[in-house]
Amino acid sequence: MAKLYKKGEGVYVLDVTGYTCPYPVIFTKKALARIREGEVLEVIIDNPPSCETVPRAARESGYSVEGPVSIGPGLWRITIKKGAGGGGYK
Amino acid sequence: MSRGVNFTEYVGGLTYGRLFSNSGWPEWLGGILLGLANIVFLALAEKPFTIYGGFYEWGASVYSQLGLDLEHSSIFTNKTSVGDLGLLTGAFIAALLANEFKARRPVGGIEYLEGALGGFLMAVGVALAWGCNWGGFFSAVTALSLHGFAMLPGLVLGGYLGLRYVRWKMEKMASVIEVELEEAPGGAMVKASSTARPNAWARLLVAALALALLLSVVNYFGNGFFAALAMVGVLVGLVIQRSRFCFATAFRDLLGGPEMVRSVRLQVGIALGIIVGATGAAALKYMGYVDPGVYVKYVSLSNFLGGVIFAFGMSLAGACASGSLWRVAEGHIKALIALVAAVASYPLLVSPVREVVVGSLAPVKVPLFALGWAVGLALVYASMVAWILFVYFLAYRRGVMVHG
């Protein structure tokens, strides 16, 4: 059961720690479907291959991605802005 | 002297920058390196790199302590076993240096069940297919044995069934994502960057100690020859962890799975590794360094069936045979459960299952080099190129951009 938290106005956190492939990608897509255009999703992962696959899945949907940023041993944060060409994100 | 950074940061920059970055190595490079490692292992051990012979040894050693008499040698004087120990250590070292080691508990009880059942099913598949994704497929094809080719369609079908299971599970769990509107409570998101890069020197020291421990223990209880084989296993583990060389993803997501791009790239890596490995294996066998019959195993319908069961099992467990060792070394508890289940069940069921197969399906050994070495090798090259083209066609048909 992945948890989606509301961190602030328009910013959500999806915690998929403990999950391995392909669940982080599936949960990220589901969470992105829940939030609105222009809102931001921070995905917290601890599955190393997801460092590549989660950003790739978000980019394939045309969203801008920042990270993965290392936030601890074997722990990363990937920031996705829903909607194309969001300011401040590559 | 580089200006502005101290030596720790300088070395850290080198390691984090490329070799031990969190984006890993490309899959094609991983495949080629695994093909090369397979040749070195074959030249030293006179058998290709495989996994499950070691699992048998581990399980049989424990059962023997419990009074059950299973024929075996010892953990440190079995070629496959020391290779597996090397793989574990190599993956641990790579995970440590990349700062990717972390104890990871599965989320929910179903994951524990999946791990145990997946491990058991993989053991059944290995018994039927005369090997796992290595001994029954990767190293089998490099040995120019038909039994490797027979497992491949089974792996594709089993991986597809695994994907169907993943989708079914996600539909059943309709409320997979629970939205909680309050502030995120502690845990992962709050403990931010303070622990991002603990002392690189400490991790380097632990990695060096792990390697020294492995080699000295294998050298002490076995000998220098087995320590050398363990060292090849270390390199295999390093490459697998760094290139995220996951056979489970390669077969589960091949037919339109959520990680299809990675699956296709892994399949290309596997095919390139087989081309490299088969070239070396054929040379060693042709020159008489290795007996030509090495790793030419039985083929019948059971290899296909074993492939189906094995691939479904690895989809449940989230990792194949080599993958379980790699993920255990990274700290995944679910992979550990799968590994324990496989090690516990394989020694007990391999002989009875193979007796039934031999008795009922009349399997035969088919070496491709029976047609001549050039023809045998050409068949492997042609089939692997055809496989790459087929896999690219699958991606093309779905409009998936695999590269770039």
Side-chain angles (χ1 to χ4, degrees):
Chain A
M1 219 56 58
K3 289 230 163 98
L4 183 67
Y5 301 100
K6 186 167 185 178
K7 189 183 178 186
E9 207 44 56
V11 182
Y12 293 84
V13 177
L14 175 70
D15 181 6
V16 288
T17 55
Y19 284 101
T20 57
C21 312
Y23 297 103
V25 166
I26 295 176
F27 284 129
T28 299
K29 284 182 174 172
K30 281 183 181 281
L32 282 168
R34 289 273 182 100
I35 69 172
R36 285 193 294 266
E37 292 276 321
E39 291 184 325
V40 171
L41 180 70
E42 293 181 8
V43 187
I44 310 295
I45 58 164
D46 66 356
N47 178 48
S50 299
C51 286
E52 280 226 73
T53 54
V54 168
R56 182 184 296 139
R59 287 198 183 98
E60 277 170 6
S61 304
Y63 304 148
S64 48
V65 182
E66 195 180 69
V69 175
S70 176
I71 54 171
L75 200 63
W76 298 273
R77 180 178 55 231
I78 296 161
T79 310
I80 302 165
K81 180 152 186 172
K82 187 169 179 178
Y89 295 95
K90 281 178 282 185
Chain B
M1 285 280 288
S2 283
R3 283 185 303 162
V5 292
N6 64 33
F7 184 57
T8 299
E9 288 161 347
Y10 185 75
V11 174
L14 289 179
T15 54
Y16 286 117
R18 260 290 146 86
L19 285 179
F20 294 98
S21 82
N22 299 130
S23 44
W25 301 351
E27 294 84 353
W28 60 264
L29 180 63
I32 289 172
L33 291 173
L34 291 178
L36 289 172
N38 214 18
I39 299 170
V40 175
F41 196 89
L42 177 64
L44 278 173
E46 296 179 52
K47 75 169 279 296
F49 191 86
T50 59
I51 310 286
Y52 257 73
F55 290 7
Y56 178 90
E57 188 60 51
W58 299 355
S61 298
V62 174
Y63 284 127
S64 294
Q65 294 295 317
L66 300 174
L68 192 67
D69 195 28
L70 289 170
E71 196 186 323
H72 74 108
S73 52
S74 103
I75 290 173
F76 302 108
T77 58
N78 174 293
K79 294 166 180 174
T80 314
S81 166
V82 294
D84 287 347
L85 293 175
L87 199 167
L88 260 177
T89 311
F92 175 69
I93 288 170
L96 211 56
L97 294 181
N99 201 13
E100 291 177 348
F101 180 82
K102 173 178 179 275
R104 298 157 167 99
R105 276 188 307 132
V107 190
I110 183 85
E111 299 272 322
Y112 290 91
L113 194 66
E114 283 177 353
L117 187 61
F120 172 73
L121 288 178
M122 280 193 277
V124 174
V126 172
L128 286 168
W130 262 268
C132 63
N133 51 311
W134 282 77
F137 169 55
F138 188 84
S139 293
V141 177
T142 64
L144 306 188
S145 171
L146 191 65
H147 85 285
F149 289 94
M151 193 184 188
L152 179 58
L155 290 172
V156 173
L157 178 58
Y160 178 68
L161 294 176
L163 179 62
R164 292 287 296 266
Y165 167 75
V166 167
R167 293 208 168 123
W168 173 82
K169 184 179 157 192
M170 296 308 287
E171 269 171 35
K172 280 278 159 195
M173 296 160 64
S175 59
V176 277
I177 292 178
E178 296 171 354
V179 184
E180 298 200 0
L181 289 178
E182 73 271 29
E183 189 74 20
M189 348 23 211
V190 174
K191 58 169 188 195
S193 57
S194 60
T195 52
R197 284 187 182 181
N199 196 334
W201 294 112
R203 283 184 283 118
L204 192 62
L205 182 68
V206 175
L209 284 175
L211 183 62
L213 183 69
L214 169 80
L215 295 180
S216 49
V217 165
V218 175
N219 189 50
Y220 181 80
F221 291 106
N223 57 43
F225 168 69
F226 289 105
L229 293 183
M231 194 59 220
V232 181
V234 168
L235 297 176
V236 170
L238 257 163
V239 171
I240 286 180
Q241 201 280 343
R242 288 290 68 215
S243 55
R244 285 79 160 92
F245 214 80
C246 177
F247 285 77
T249 295
F251 286 101
R252 185 196 59 231
D253 286 3
L254 184 59
L255 298 169
E259 297 189 8
M260 187 170 175
V261 172
R262 182 158 160 250
S263 158
V264 169
R265 289 183 182 181
L266 282 164
Q267 290 291 354
V268 173
I270 290 168
L272 291 175
I274 285 176
I275 287 172
V276 170
T279 309
L284 287 168
K285 289 185 171 187
Y286 174 77
M287 295 299 285
Y289 294 119
V290 176
D291 182 78
V294 163
Y295 244 74
V296 178
K297 304 236 171 194
Y298 285 117
V299 57
S300 71
L301 190 65
S302 80
N303 304 76
F304 169 78
L305 194 62
V308 176
I309 294 172
F310 182 85
F312 186 72
M314 74 182 176
S315 302
L316 281 185
C320 61
S322 50
S324 300
L325 293 171
W326 148 37
R327 303 320 291 259
V328 166
E330 266 178 7
H332 294 265
I333 308 295
K334 184 179 176 183
L336 181 64
I337 292 165
L339 179 63
V340 169
V343 166
S345 51
Y346 183 65
L348 298 179
L349 55 81
V350 60
S351 294
V353 166
R354 286 187 183 167
E355 267 173 39
V356 171
V357 172
V358 169
S360 57
L361 290 171
V364 285
K365 294 182 177 179
V366 182
L368 296 181
F369 51 82
L371 305 163
W373 289 101
V375 176
L377 208 47
L379 279 174
V380 170
Y381 291 165
S383 54
M384 285 303 116
V385 171
W387 179 247
I388 291 175
L389 288 174
F390 172 68
V391 160
Y392 275 144
F393 175 73
L394 291 176
Y396 166 79
R397 212 184 47 163
R398 286 177 186 271
V400 174
M401 291 306 291
V402 175
H403 299 290

